[in-house]
Amino acid sequence: MGNREAWQLDGEGLKAEVLDLARARHDMQSRMVHLVAEMFTRDALPDTGFRAIAQWLHRSTNLEIGECSQLVSLARLFMLEPVVAQSFHDGDIDALKARQVAQFCQHPPKNMHIADIEKAREILLTLASKKVSDCEATRAAIRRIEKKYGNRADGVPVGEDSSAQRVLRLQKFVRPRQRQGRPRCRQWRPVARPTVRPLEAESRNRRCERSSHPGTSAGRRFL
């Protein structure tokens, strides 16, 4: 990589420097994952006040906590899957495909033997290392393997994620029940209105009550 500005480079120089930066970016990401994995084997956060590496990295840099957590989880997976980690460090696969293969190898179908897991790891790494394949092709290959061997070790049905399956179960129970046939129309009954007495009757009753007061001598008088 040179120190020239972008406007000073021709077409071939631009393409070459972009490819060099992409390789350098992968090397730096590989180095960072390797260092984070090394931090797990040591007590590297005694004086920082943090117990989790992702929280320390989030507070020390401008990276989001989600990105830091993904980086730390990738380092943990590489500690458990050295073959996948070696393919990633060599530049054969990227971080997303490496995460997919490592997660499958750590959570295989419960009916899958160790020899079958190693064979599936080699097949998935070969597929992920191709330039024409993407994450969807790797996920489709993993689902085909899961459908062949049955449910996964954690009990989740084949080809489905646990969160997606939980949403499907909730939709199944919450879905309203449909009525068979034509719905019946509700019959409305008229409400009886209260009877209102005329104004003359009310005034007459008031006079009767006034005349029937104990203080009056005439008793009940009608006017």
Side-chain angles (χ1 to χ4, degrees):
M1 293 182 294
N3 296 325
R4 295 184 297 175
E5 297 292 337
W7 61 271
Q8 297 177 347
L9 299 173
D10 55 357
E12 296 297 330
L14 284 172
K15 292 185 289 185
E17 187 162 350
V18 168
L19 294 179
D20 293 341
L21 289 174
R23 286 189 290 267
R25 177 180 176 275
H26 181 81
D27 295 339
M28 294 177 64
Q29 188 180 15
S30 174
R31 177 67 176 174
M32 190 172 183
V33 172
H34 180 73
L35 294 176
V36 172
E38 186 68 21
M39 292 180 67
F40 282 108
T41 60
R42 306 182 186 180
D43 191 9
L45 302 175
D47 301 330
T48 57
F50 294 95
R51 295 182 179 180
I53 301 177
Q55 296 179 358
W56 165 78
L57 188 61
H58 169 63
R59 294 297 299 271
S60 303
T61 60
N62 59 351
L63 298 177
E64 292 292 334
I65 186 63
E67 185 177 357
C68 298
S69 300
Q70 291 180 0
L71 180 63
V72 172
S73 64
L74 186 62
R76 289 184 175 179
L77 287 174
F78 285 170
M79 294 175 62
L80 301 174
E81 293 290 335
V83 178
V84 182
Q86 188 63 36
S87 299
F88 170 75
H89 293 311
D90 293 341
D92 297 335
I93 56 177
D94 60 349
L96 296 178
K97 298 176 186 177
R99 184 190 303 274
Q100 288 179 336
V101 178
Q103 285 182 350
F104 170 77
C105 295
Q106 287 298 312
H107 302 282
K110 57 184 179 181
N111 297 328
M112 200 171 187
H113 301 286
I114 299 178
D116 297 336
I117 297 175
E118 295 178 355
K119 185 177 180 180
R121 183 189 294 109
E122 295 178 0
I123 295 174
L124 292 175
L125 288 177
T126 304
L127 177 64
S129 61
K130 295 181 179 180
K131 300 295 189 298
V132 295
S133 64
D134 53 359
C135 294
E136 293 296 332
T138 307
R139 187 178 294 108
I142 292 174
R143 288 181 178 179
R144 287 195 297 268
I145 297 174
E146 289 177 346
K147 288 181 180 180
K148 181 179 179 181
Y149 287 92
N151 294 343
R152 299 191 309 196
D154 52 1
V156 179
V158 295
E160 298 291 344
D161 190 9
S162 58
S163 58
Q165 191 70 14
R166 190 181 304 111
V167 171
L168 291 177
R169 288 199 299 268
L170 290 176
Q171 291 179 355
K172 181 179 179 181
F173 287 111
V174 176
R175 184 180 302 172
R177 185 178 59 182
Q178 298 180 357
R179 295 182 178 179
Q180 299 294 334
R182 184 178 179 181
R184 295 183 302 174
C185 297
R186 186 174 180 180
Q187 298 180 358
W188 297 93
R189 297 181 179 178
V191 180
R193 296 182 178 180
T195 57
V196 180
R197 291 179 297 181
L199 182 60
E200 297 179 357
E202 292 182 1
S203 61
R204 185 176 181 180
N205 294 335
R206 291 176 183 175
R207 294 176 183 177
C208 293
E209 292 176 359
R210 190 181 302 112
S211 62
S212 61
H213 194 270
T216 59
S217 60
R220 189 177 180 87
R221 186 188 310 170
F222 295 90
L223 298 178

